[in-house]
Amino acid sequence: MDTQQQYGDEARPVLEAPDIARVLTRIAHEIVERAKGADDVVLLGIPTRGVYLARRLAEKLESITGTKIPVGSLDITMYRDDLRLKPARAIGRTEIPGDGIDGRLVVLVDDVLFSGRTIRAALDALGDIGRPRAVQLAVLVDRGHRELPIRADYVGKNLPTSLRETVKVLLAEEDGRDTVLLGSKPASS
Amino acid sequence: MMRHLISAADLTRDDAVQILDTAEEMARVADRPIKKLPTLRGRTICNLFFEDSTRTRISFEAAEKRLSADVINFAAKGSSVSKGESLKDTAQTLEAMGVDAVVIRHSASGAPYRLATSGWIDAPVINAGDGTHQHPTQALLDAFTMRRRLVGRDAGLGQDLAGKRITLVGDVLHSRVARSNVDLLHTLGAEVTLVAPPTLVPVGVETWPCDVSYDLDGVLPKSDAVMMLRVQRERMNAAFFPTEREYSRRYGLDGERMAKMPEHAIVMHPGPMVRGMEITAEVADSDRCTVVEQVTNGVSVRMAVLYLLLGGNESAVSHTRTEENK
């Protein structure tokens, strides 16, 4: 399907494939710098696209540090506070690396940071799985409009948006190509 | 969208696969140090048991508590039902208390359907066994166990049971487990064969989507799973077979018979087992017997059903029969 049709006529790319690769490399370096190496880092992606971003980050971290970084996925569906407002949704995959997260530095990875409610749910989910040494947050795009006191540690691109706009991240693994699109919401919603 | 789970026949293939996939994720919760999710916090679920069943009740209760729901257990014995209160009055009492879902077990076939369609109560109704009619969550947990063992835990995600040959043996006539399993396994693409004494085969079985055989030994070598059914003495009001010994000799599963099954085939039983009659201790305690696994899987499957029916403002499972109650 034509991307323009699928995401509205005015959807325009704000990050293209080379930009995404570049910001992920930068985030990987920032993680190594802040964690003073990446020995105890565990990357947990939030499905769906956060998981792919976490895997890409792990590859980059490995090429920088030479050590293998554990990657997992953390589904937060059942921890959402808006479950009763929407139809029941399918559950994604939660996969915690074999050694667990106790005492490790967990970096949560997501595509877009918006209200902060997803991250709040992720923190609750983490609490049921183990006790990390610290939790940090890496996002590809921060579009603002926070409803909770949550801030990302690593941001690919700060993208000031209005609430009438939509941000859509497309990744090759899921959508066939890498791009971040900024569009306007259809009038009906 | 489906609001109730009354019969395994109401589920489409996609619904059933979605429930099994969700159950697989729920099973992971059981491996965690904290076996609890906040998903149904603030929801009240009533387990309405008009017929005794410890196993099914505690399985539902465990599932409800793992999803953080508030649980009310209602047993008909010692309640106003023994004083003559009707199902309607009980339902309206629950409605007035603001119950969010009702899990019902009743000795009368059709009681859950009545509860769901009569307008007495607005909450979703989940059938936990009605008379000789249906026991859909049992069929789902059996299908879940089969998919795990015969297709694989991870390989099974998104898959059905296409091409698997499943044999159900014993008291088909009185068995809601058999009816539910035939419906669901057929939906999931499996080939089902019923094996029973002619007296325990229901009238009209030729309209069911399955084969019928009277010869267990002939069916065993081509079965991927053999499910033994309990002989339900409490529902038998006449002599259906001459002696227990004869039943056991022709339709019981012992070590010798189990050896005729293919290497990968599993033995299942919905429990409670009557050892020595339907199944020998040797078979019941063997690695191929999944009885204990079925109990564990029951909690995961019931968590999945509760989540999909109650997790949102409308359920995620589509609907066929009780469409008028939307």
Side-chain angles (χ1 to χ4, degrees):
Chain A
M1 195 191 293
D2 179 36
T3 319
Q4 289 293 315
Q5 274 181 358
Q6 200 178 349
Y7 302 105
D9 288 340
E10 291 136 57
R12 62 181 174 89
V14 286
L15 286 179
E16 295 284 16
D19 307 318
I20 292 176
R22 204 176 310 120
V23 301
L24 287 177
T25 307
R26 173 170 54 77
I27 290 174
H29 281 285
E30 286 175 3
I31 292 173
V32 175
E33 195 181 334
R34 273 187 62 172
K36 298 183 178 62
D39 294 343
D40 66 347
V41 168
V42 176
L43 294 173
L44 290 182
I46 297 174
T48 310
R49 290 173 184 78
V51 180
Y52 301 121
L53 292 172
R55 287 189 196 139
R56 292 189 195 183
L57 269 179
E59 276 172 28
K60 291 190 188 289
L61 283 172
E62 199 178 332
S63 68
I64 296 167
T65 62
T67 51
K68 199 150 178 61
I69 307 293
V71 195
S73 64
L74 182 68
D75 181 61
I76 52 98
T77 311
M78 289 186 287
Y79 292 84
R80 297 189 77 100
D81 58 6
D82 61 352
L83 273 175
R84 295 179 74 162
L85 306 177
K86 293 177 181 166
R89 55 190 91 199
I91 293 176
R93 210 76 203 275
T94 293
E95 258 166 23
I96 303 302
D99 293 340
I101 57 167
D102 287 350
R104 314 287 293 254
L105 171 64
V106 170
V107 180
L108 293 170
V109 185
D110 204 0
D111 51 357
V112 180
L113 179 59
F114 187 19
S115 67
R117 288 179 190 264
T118 299
I119 304 305
R120 184 216 52 85
L123 293 172
D124 277 0
L126 273 184
D128 281 358
I129 290 162
R131 189 179 181 283
R133 172 172 74 74
V135 183
Q136 295 178 348
L137 173 63
V139 296
L140 186 60
V141 175
D142 181 348
R143 64 165 295 188
H145 305 289
R146 216 74 79 239
E147 293 166 9
L148 295 168
I150 282 169
R151 185 181 64 81
D153 300 89
Y154 313 102
V155 180
K157 184 174 176 65
N158 280 300
L159 193 61
T161 57
S162 91
L163 281 171
R164 286 190 305 277
E165 288 172 313
T166 60
V167 176
K168 182 77 192 160
V169 174
L170 303 182
L171 293 176
E173 295 92 329
E174 180 84 9
D175 314 290
R177 68 175 180 127
D178 279 3
T179 187
V180 177
L181 296 172
L182 181 66
S184 55
K185 264 189 190 167
S188 58
S189 63
Chain B
M1 287 297 205
M2 176 159 151
R3 289 208 54 223
H4 311 283
L5 181 60
I6 305 297
S7 164
D10 293 345
L11 295 169
T12 64
R13 179 206 171 266
D14 289 349
D15 287 341
V17 170
Q18 186 187 17
I19 293 172
L20 300 187
D21 287 352
T22 307
E24 200 65 74
E25 284 307 315
M26 295 295 184
R28 291 163 187 271
V29 176
D31 300 334
R32 294 189 193 166
I34 299 171
K35 300 175 183 35
K36 208 163 169 82
L37 294 166
T39 315
L40 297 183
R41 206 175 54 202
R43 305 271 186 127
T44 307
I45 302 176
C46 180
N47 297 323
L48 193 56
F49 276 60
F50 290 95
E51 192 182 57
D52 295 335
S53 170
T54 310
R55 186 185 302 253
T56 305
R57 205 210 71 217
I58 59 175
S59 178
F60 267 107
E61 194 173 339
E64 289 151 6
K65 287 183 170 166
R66 281 193 187 167
L67 291 172
S68 305
D70 295 319
V71 181
I72 301 172
N73 282 312
F74 173 99
K77 258 184 208 158
S79 78
S80 295
V81 172
S82 56
K83 300 174 196 163
E85 189 181 66
S86 68
L87 179 61
K88 180 179 179 179
D89 292 326
T90 308
Q92 286 177 335
T93 305
L94 294 176
E95 177 76 358
M97 285 177 184
V99 166
D100 293 300
V102 177
V103 175
I104 178 173
R105 153 76 62 111
H106 205 289
S107 58
S109 305
Y113 181 74
R114 183 90 177 111
L115 191 64
T117 57
S118 58
W120 299 330
I121 191 165
D122 209 27
V125 174
I126 298 167
N127 183 0
D130 58 334
T132 58
H133 176 227
Q134 280 280 338
H135 195 353
T137 55
Q138 175 74 41
L140 284 162
L141 79 87
D142 290 337
F144 182 80
T145 308
M146 287 175 209
R147 195 177 79 166
R148 263 201 169 177
R149 283 286 196 115
L150 302 175
V151 186
R153 186 173 174 158
D154 288 325
L157 284 175
Q159 303 292 311
D160 55 19
L161 293 168
K164 301 292 176 214
R165 284 178 294 201
I166 319 290
T167 305
L168 273 62
V169 188
D171 186 358
V172 177
L173 180 64
H174 298 103
S175 177
R176 55 191 169 215
V177 175
R179 276 170 186 73
S180 314
N181 265 292
V182 168
D183 288 335
L184 184 69
L185 292 171
H186 173 71
T187 304
L188 288 171
E191 295 166 31
V192 185
T193 307
L194 300 175
V195 180
T199 47
L200 288 173
V201 175
V203 175
V205 76
E206 60 281 355
T207 62
W208 296 15
C210 62
D211 294 328
V212 179
S213 169
Y214 304 114
D215 174 26
L216 182 57
D217 293 306
V219 179
L220 285 179
K222 36 186 191 195
S223 301
D224 296 307
V226 177
M227 187 185 301
M228 307 306 294
L229 301 168
R230 186 170 63 87
V231 175
Q232 303 195 21
R233 285 202 197 82
E234 74 275 17
R235 293 190 207 277
M236 289 194 185
N237 46 14
F240 287 93
F241 46 81
T243 64
E244 289 190 7
R245 235 188 104 133
E246 182 176 329
Y247 177 89
S248 179
R249 209 167 56 235
R250 295 202 55 184
Y251 298 100
L253 192 63
D254 56 16
E256 208 177 300
R257 279 214 165 98
M258 189 168 69
K260 293 181 182 168
M261 291 163 48
E263 201 65 28
H264 67 272
I266 53 170
V267 177
M268 306 179 70
H269 196 297
M273 290 187 282
V274 183
R275 284 176 186 239
M277 187 169 171
E278 312 125 15
I279 194 164
T280 62
E282 181 193 356
V283 177
D285 296 331
S286 80
D287 292 343
R288 303 172 79 172
C289 183
T290 61
V291 174
V292 181
E293 224 171 294
Q294 283 168 269
V295 175
T296 310
N297 293 343
V299 178
S300 307
V301 163
R302 288 174 178 122
M303 285 172 76
V305 167
L306 289 165
Y307 167 71
L308 291 171
L309 288 183
L310 283 172
N313 64 350
E314 51 185 276
S315 93
V317 185
S318 72
H319 191 234
T320 47
R321 199 171 71 181
T322 39
E323 190 67 32
E324 68 271 18
N325 295 305
K326 241 164 48 169

